[in-house]
Amino acid sequence: MTPQPPRELASPRAFVLFGGTGDLALRMLFPAFYHLERENRLAADLVLVAVARSELAPEAFIASVREAVIGRLAPETLEEAAWNRLATRLRYLSADMTTEAGAQGLAALIAGRSAPVFYLAVSPSLYAGICATLAGAGLNTPESAVVLEKPIGRDLETSRAINAAVAACFPEERTFRIDHYLGKETVQNLLALRFGNLLFEPLWNGLSVDHVEITIAETEGVGERLAYYDDYGATRDMVQNHLLQLVALVAMEPPSSLGPEAVRAEKVKVLRSLRRITPERAGLVAVRGQYTGGVSDARQVGSYTEEHGSPSGTETFVAVRADIDNWRWAGVPFYLRTGKRLPERRTRIVVQFKAVPHSIFGPQGADALVANRLIIDLQPQEDIQLTLMNKRPGMGIALQQLPLSLSLTEALGEGARRRIAYERLFLDILAGDRTLFVSREEIEEAWAWIDELSEAWAQAGTAPKPYPAGSWGPAGAFALIERDGRQWHE
Ligand code: BG6
């Protein structure tokens, strides 16, 4: 199958942001639009409509977006010309979008714009109601599209209900389930690396790969999102989506094309092959943690309990060994970990290859022999390194390990701007290209796996293990990998 050309949405357009005054919109979404504006990538007739419940004068809303964009840009400064162009696109609607009156207000505001995009950055519990009122007001035209932010549901049952309710109003081809990790440059580079080179494919399996590690570490705490986070925890907030998407991209079979159906079909097969974590296995392969007070980002920070105001059973850290039961990956563990208040911000995929079967370098050389490793850094640096053994210059044959590096920083030049992942995804939405969006089946398979893990923890009835802020999680996270004779790659 050849890639489908992106289908352009009809003009004139409206991009309607529900939750338009929320944390995500201000921190990420509007700054992403600002950059697209600055690069002249937005159609002249596009308007951006923020919808939220708060009564807010349009000028006050525009001022808050400006402040958020400036905050995100620092230390760079705002380009006034680009900002002015963006500001003229901005509209604000104060409305309750689960009511008919709300939908009518929106309909009036975007009247004549035949291809609206409805972007839902609100609590997933509102998705069904909002879609139903949009449909009730006839806004789900054939050219319209709906975008769903993660998390879609809190478990398999709720995600199925949401997906079904959305599907009753918007066809799957016009439904974009966003996982912003798929918009990150290095995630797409992973596809280029795997499928643009012949070298890796023959080695990309259990015959040559010892294990894979994926870490998403954050230094921040839960911050302002406590109510949401306490209900979800690290497993539902990060593993169900971002981490499992990375697993799927690393582990999938080569798709026949970069078309959305081909890529999504391969990813879902990986998710279906994940070995379920039964209550008997959970204690060995999964660990939950919660931060206590400590030093993070060079400052003293409080515990999760203090932020929460009382003890909570929610995990802020999780480490889990995932096994993929298929021919390619049998016997190759995928170690996943993520957490808040860890020592550094780092998102890294490590593909650890096996050692050479026999060393010809004598006892000294054998000591220096280190198995090859492919390190894919998503953030803060965007970098891909393959460590290779090579000869130390000079007499004799002494070995040393050196990286072959594909550094994006070097390629782009120091100081080059890192794109916000949403920039790429917004353009794809406007062009109707769903390749970097998640299918309903993927979401539901991921929830099925997470539900069993959550159920195993619920049955065990154990609280998350404490870990000091600024550390790499509870001792159990180390035991989990060391039990297999391996270590986290630090
Ligand atoms: C979000 C999570 O999806 O991803 C947040 O809800 C998390 O808790 C964020 O902080 C991390 O994204 P990034 O791009 O900063 O790694």
Side-chain angles (χ1 to χ4, degrees):
M1 205 175 92
T2 48
Q4 298 296 309
R7 189 158 65 100
E8 281 289 321
L9 294 182
S11 224
R13 306 161 190 206
F15 199 103
V16 183
L17 249 165
F18 298 96
T21 53
D23 177 67
L24 180 72
L26 293 176
R27 256 185 334 109
M28 296 280 182
L29 308 184
F30 287 117
F33 272 119
Y34 164 78
H35 288 296
L36 295 175
E37 183 74 79
R38 205 175 48 85
E39 294 177 0
N40 290 313
R41 291 180 189 271
L42 299 176
D45 58 19
L46 178 73
V47 294
L48 307 177
V49 182
V51 182
R53 287 191 192 194
S54 12
E55 290 290 343
L56 205 59
E59 305 74 46
F61 163 70
I62 293 177
S64 69
V65 174
R66 182 182 161 97
E67 197 183 318
V69 172
I70 290 176
R72 172 84 202 194
L73 279 177
E76 277 173 52
T77 50
L78 192 72
E79 266 182 35
E80 289 296 338
W83 164 255
N84 289 337
R85 290 200 305 277
L86 183 69
T88 59
R89 298 180 189 274
L90 295 175
R91 313 276 185 279
Y92 181 72
L93 177 69
S94 157
D96 176 351
M97 279 309 300
T98 54
T99 66
E100 206 176 303
Q104 293 307 337
L106 179 62
L109 194 62
I110 60 171
R113 296 183 181 273
S114 56
V117 171
F118 301 110
Y119 192 113
L120 274 50
V122 290
S123 161
S125 60
L126 300 174
Y127 288 2
I130 293 179
C131 288
T133 38
L134 289 173
L139 290 171
N140 57 340
T141 57
E143 295 294 345
S144 66
V146 66
V147 186
L148 309 176
E149 261 294 340
K150 61 144 279 257
I152 297 178
R154 196 180 171 279
D155 51 27
L156 178 59
E157 195 185 333
T158 49
S159 85
R160 272 191 182 143
I162 292 172
N163 278 326
V166 173
C169 307
F170 294 91
E172 181 68 14
E173 315 81 71
R174 314 299 301 144
T175 302
F176 295 78
R177 295 178 194 82
I178 210 161
D179 183 314
H180 76 277
Y181 266 61
L182 300 185
K184 291 186 190 273
E185 186 70 17
T186 315
V187 172
Q188 292 153 46
N189 212 350
L190 172 64
L191 295 178
L193 188 83
R194 279 198 64 193
F195 305 121
N197 295 291
L198 188 64
L199 288 184
F200 291 108
E201 186 50 27
L203 304 177
W204 209 256
N205 56 49
L207 296 177
S208 306
V209 175
D210 179 76
H211 69 276
V212 176
E213 172 193 323
I214 309 181
T215 294
I216 305 181
E218 298 181 275
T219 52
E220 293 102 47
V222 173
E224 316 235 304
R225 299 159 71 229
L226 199 115
Y228 152 78
Y229 194 88
D230 200 60
D231 191 23
Y232 278 74
T235 314
R236 292 185 171 91
D237 183 48
M238 297 294 285
V239 185
Q240 189 272 343
N241 35 77
H242 307 322
L243 268 167
L244 288 185
Q245 280 295 315
L246 294 180
V247 169
L249 286 171
V250 171
M252 72 179 179
E253 295 300 314
S256 57
S257 78
L258 264 192
E261 299 319 328
V263 172
R264 289 145 59 122
E266 293 307 336
K267 284 195 290 164
V268 81
K269 284 185 210 159
V270 173
L271 298 171
R272 263 188 210 127
S273 309
L274 286 171
R275 188 181 307 162
R276 296 300 158 95
I277 298 182
T278 55
E280 300 73 51
R281 286 181 66 234
L284 289 176
V285 299
V287 172
R288 300 195 306 153
Q290 189 187 84
Y291 58 80
T292 57
V295 177
S296 174
D297 264 347
R299 61 192 174 93
Q300 191 67 39
V301 293
S303 65
Y304 184 75
T305 310
E306 281 162 337
E307 287 172 15
H308 185 254
S310 59
S312 156
T314 298
E315 76 283 355
T316 59
F317 174 95
V318 56
V320 57
R321 173 187 156 142
D323 289 87
I324 301 172
D325 287 332
N326 65 17
W327 270 48
R328 188 186 281 267
W329 296 112
V332 182
F334 281 60
Y335 298 100
L336 316 179
R337 64 178 170 168
T338 184
K340 304 272 185 202
R341 291 271 188 250
L342 298 187
E344 60 185 71
R345 172 165 164 79
R346 180 205 294 174
T347 301
R348 174 173 283 178
I349 302 171
V350 179
V351 179
Q352 175 66 62
F353 291 96
K354 292 186 173 170
V356 294
H358 166 72
S359 168
I360 61 165
F361 299 102
Q364 243 182 336
D367 279 354
L369 259 184
V370 181
N372 303 126
R373 188 181 276 159
L374 181 69
I375 302 171
I376 302 166
D377 278 324
L378 277 68
Q379 49 199 25
Q381 303 306 325
E382 294 176 303
D383 199 4
I384 298 180
Q385 290 198 343
L386 177 66
T387 62
L388 295 176
M389 292 314 297
N390 105 347
K391 179 186 169 301
R392 212 180 273 283
M395 301 302 230
I397 290 208
L399 298 181
Q400 64 179 354
Q401 188 184 207
L402 279 183
L404 272 186
S405 178
L406 296 172
S407 161
L408 201 72
T409 318
E410 275 170 32
L412 293 176
E414 208 51 65
R417 181 177 80 80
R418 299 262 151 63
R419 282 194 181 284
I420 301 173
Y422 285 96
E423 294 172 41
R424 160 79 201 257
L425 298 176
F426 286 168
L427 292 183
D428 285 356
I429 293 166
L430 289 165
D433 181 348
R434 293 179 304 134
T435 303
L436 295 179
F437 297 82
V438 184
S439 69
R440 180 172 176 168
E441 289 73 27
E442 287 174 78
I443 299 273
E444 295 183 3
E445 286 299 334
W447 274 124
W449 190 72
I450 293 291
D451 276 4
E452 296 218 2
L453 177 58
S454 308
E455 177 56 29
W457 275 326
Q459 278 189 28
T462 47
K465 300 278 181 273
Y467 66 94
S471 73
W472 279 108
F478 294 90
L480 178 149
I481 191 165
E482 285 163 9
R483 200 176 290 129
D484 295 344
R486 302 181 175 103
Q487 285 184 333
W488 295 107
H489 176 261
E490 300 298 352

